[in-house]
Amino acid sequence: MSQPPTSPRHTALDASHRALGATMTDFAGWDMPLRYGSERDEHTAVRTRAGLFDLSHMGEITVTGPRAGEALDHALVGHLSALAVGRARYTMICAPDGGILDDLIVYRLAEQEFMIVANASNAQVVLDAVTERAAGFAGAAVRDDRDAYALLAVQGPESPGILKSVTDADLDGLKYYAGLPGTVAGVPALIARTGYTGEDGFELFVAPADAERLWQALTEAGAGAGLVPCGLSCRDTLRLEAGMPLYGHELTTALTPFDAGLGRVVKFDKAGDFVGRAALEAAAEKAAATPPRKLVGLIAEGRRVPRAGYAVTDASGAVVGEVTSGAPSPTLGVPLAMAYVDAAHAAPGTEGVAVDIRGTREPHRVVALPFYKRER
């Protein structure tokens, strides 16, 4: 007998989204806003002004204790014990065979306290794996804090000015991939200069009970700067333009960080063993000797949009790769895609590359990632 489907979870901002007329969608077991109006307008607002996102579906996991850093060095591929208090790091958790279980951001909140932020779809997998891997480190405790936080993000060139108007935290001194505790519109928050849009911006971790108050305060503070609420749809096109990988598309258990061109996140020089080390050392050697398929950018020469799963072909029509993500680019005005292609066809400017779109070979230009990079 089949199990009845479980209802999607709702964030603390669900009522605000519905009051704004958001189109909602089930994402990783959460009822989330897909868009509020035009996803193109929301995308453009983030690129030129500012956007406000609810990201409360992300999974927070806290690791504490005198051996917390050591436990994370063993559990993840990065060197987290070397992370300074107040800083954040992009890293991954891999299976023993080197396959990517998830990509993560880890914040060091205090000398003996770290917070892992996992993708919503993998939060339970990450929690289970970190708990199991930390079990051998007496003095390291793993805590599921997914219900302890709501997460709001303000992204875009106007975001520093908007946030400054409602906080006295030192935003000018807050570096990229750093965080500090502060008060925003009277709400206690962890203020992090991180994001997934390719723009300057901030992510605000607050208690769920404070989320609606903060959402309204940021909405009012940003009204004069053109801030708009933004859904998951434009977040996807923003990260695609910025060449940022998405788990389940560019990152999977079938790929190692070296396959994804992200071998730099694997730190072999840290002390002690870590899960997946042997497999990842072999993957690094293979990538150096005979590069596997490479992740590249593709820009369409026509108007048809390449989508995930579409075959990439060479001039003869032979399949040489596969699209992992694709969408029209509101910023560049052309369809874009990321794809894994054979190394022989991965150099920018490679001729004869096409994407098979429903039986028709549509010419595409190979380019280096990212497609878009903000002026700093």
Side-chain angles (χ1 to χ4, degrees), residues 99-145:
I100 302 167
L101 297 177
D102 201 14
D103 61 333
L104 315 163
I105 295 181
V106 177
Y107 299 85
R108 190 166 198 165
L109 305 182
E111 192 63 34
Q112 297 185 11
E113 182 178 5
F114 298 79
M115 181 173 70
I116 301 168
V117 180
N119 286 297
S121 57
N122 295 328
Q124 189 63 50
V125 169
V126 174
L127 174 65
D128 292 345
V130 172
T131 301
E132 179 182 350
R133 296 174 186 188
F137 295 84
V142 180
R143 186 174 70 236
D144 181 1
D145 272 345

Side-chain angles (χ1 to χ4, degrees), residues 160-223:
I162 293 169
L163 201 57
K164 283 180 184 178
S165 72
V166 289
T167 184
D168 59 3
D170 180 17
L171 300 185
D172 290 335
L174 187 62
K175 297 179 180 179
Y176 188 50
Y177 266 69
L180 55 78
T183 301
V184 182
V187 171
L190 170 64
I191 306 168
R193 200 161 205 155
T194 46
Y196 192 53
T197 63
E199 297 295 339
D200 191 10
F202 303 86
E203 295 183 320
L204 309 172
F205 296 84
V206 301
D210 293 328
E212 191 166 345
R213 174 183 171 188
L214 183 56
W215 178 274
Q216 294 303 323
L218 291 168
T219 298
E220 293 169 10

